[in-house]
Amino acid sequence: MNYRHIYHAGNFADVLKHAVLARLVRYLQNKDKAFRVLDTHAGIGLYDLSSEEAQKTGEWLDGIGRLLEAELVPQVADLLEPYLTAVRELNPEGGIRLYPGSPKLARMLFRPQDRLSAMELHPEDFQRLHRLFEGDHHARITELDGWLALGAHLPPKEKRGIVLVDPPFEEDGEYERLADGLAKAWRRFPGGTYCLWYPLKKDAPIKAFHEALQALEIPKMLCAELTVKSDRGFTGLTGSGLIIVNPPFTLKDELHALLPALKDMLAQDRFASQRAFWLRGEH
């Protein structure tokens, strides 16, 4: 309950998460049929990077700040286009002051038939999220523990959707909870596309986490990881990962183009690395 994303908004982890989320939204829009994005840990939806909190850490400077100033080769520019266009639309005077969280980004990319369900448990953050989407009939904002949404809000009535699970990882056992949450959700909505975010840091139980996911025997799980610096002598966040369940068939190739470019742009030392691989399924 103490986690506030404003300190981290727009950082390198957000760049990876939001670039991939935008690709998933665009892919589902290849069909006319409506879909729903379910965001289980939604935050406040829109972040002011000029605020005292964001300025205190300045993490966005090594994330979206670098990306907006980078020269992109055409293929990478195309892959990042929906994400970066949304960011620029929020900052029409240039530079960057406002940054979209996941629910705002998804909503900005929607067609008229697409819908958002966003969950937030922190009372103050819920109120801000609710105000942001007030009067928007495409969005349903609920004050709820996001883990409960994986049971109560699935499957969506559209029977198509993206489920984004981006917990704060404040407590012990969150990796196990993420695997258990996916198991529960997938039983209810096996056709959904899931995007699970997790942190990479010193001594994080990544191998055990991946093995727990593989044990679920979900047919198709793709993993994308981006590390921006060495964890030697550093206990904080050094990278982040995404597990994508039922990924678009194009996503693996897109990640092979996108991840090396992001690594080069966002690296904080020579130990930066990236990888995309199948946890289960196509190899």
Side-chain angles (χ1 to χ4, degrees):
M1 289 294 291
N2 294 321
Y3 177 86
R4 310 303 288 277
H5 193 67
I6 182 60
Y7 292 102
H8 314 290
N11 70 359
F12 68 84
D14 264 5
V15 167
L16 174 62
K17 176 177 61 185
H18 292 149
V20 170
L21 175 63
R23 298 308 314 159
L24 297 177
V25 169
R26 280 288 182 255
Y27 182 80
L28 262 66
Q29 290 171 339
N30 286 333
K31 293 183 179 176
D32 289 336
K33 201 172 171 216
F35 64 87
R36 184 173 294 270
V37 172
L38 175 67
D39 192 337
T40 62
H41 298 75
I44 63 174
L46 187 63
Y47 298 90
D48 184 350
L49 300 182
S50 69
S51 68
E52 185 181 341
E53 296 94 338
Q55 291 289 324
K56 186 175 181 180
T57 59
E59 288 186 18
W60 63 272
L61 291 165
D62 286 326
I64 188 62
R66 287 195 195 182
L67 201 61
L68 287 174
E69 293 178 356
E71 286 192 29
L72 305 175
V73 299
Q75 183 184 15
V76 173
D78 287 346
L79 293 174
L80 291 172
E81 183 273 329
Y83 166 44
L84 293 183
T85 297
V87 172
R88 290 189 174 112
E89 280 178 12
L90 288 170
N91 299 277
E93 295 177 0
I96 179 163
R97 184 176 73 85
L98 295 177
Y99 183 80
S102 305
K104 178 68 173 175
L105 175 64
R107 177 66 186 92
M108 291 178 75
L109 298 174
F110 278 178
R111 306 163 301 178
Q113 64 266 45
D114 302 327
R115 296 293 182 268
L116 170 71
S117 289
M119 317 294 155
E120 178 53 48
L121 184 60
H122 193 290
E124 185 183 330
D125 288 0
F126 165 74
Q127 290 297 335
R128 293 181 67 176
L129 185 67
H130 189 267
R131 283 196 300 272
L132 181 65
F133 289 102
E134 201 161 8
D136 185 343
H137 301 299
H138 292 77
R140 184 171 66 188
I141 312 302
T142 308
E143 189 171 6
L144 182 71
D145 181 343
W147 295 111
L148 299 177
L150 294 175
H153 288 259
L154 293 176
K157 65 180 182 181
E158 295 83 2
K159 300 295 188 284
R160 299 180 74 220
I162 299 165
V163 182
L164 177 66
V165 189
D166 176 21
F169 280 83
E170 279 189 305
E171 302 171 13
D172 291 338
E174 291 280 69
Y175 292 92
E176 294 86 347
R177 201 174 185 187
L178 195 51
D180 292 344
L182 174 61
K184 179 171 69 173
W186 191 76
R187 283 194 296 270
R188 295 180 65 95
F189 184 36
T193 296
Y194 295 82
C195 186
L196 315 180
W197 182 89
Y198 60 96
L200 298 175
K201 52 175 68 176
K202 192 176 182 66
D203 299 326
I206 303 304
K207 185 169 183 290
F209 173 55
H210 286 174
E211 288 171 351
L213 291 170
Q214 289 168 328
L216 300 178
E217 299 192 352
I218 293 172
K220 286 189 178 181
M221 280 191 282
L222 186 60
C223 179
E225 291 184 343
L226 175 66
T227 298
V228 296
K229 61 182 174 181
S230 168
D231 63 8
R232 215 175 304 166
F234 184 76
T235 56
L237 190 71
T238 56
S240 70
L242 297 171
I243 302 295
I244 303 102
V245 174
N246 296 327
F249 74 94
T250 53
L251 187 61
K252 178 83 180 300
D253 287 343
E254 290 182 357
L255 289 171
H256 279 313
L258 193 54
L259 285 172
L262 290 179
K263 185 205 83 168
D264 291 345
M265 286 183 279
L266 303 179
Q268 295 181 24
D269 69 20
R270 63 189 177 89
F271 296 101
S273 64
Q274 54 78 29
R275 59 178 183 159
F277 61 97
W278 290 101
L279 264 183
R280 278 187 66 87
E282 300 177 29
H283 285 278

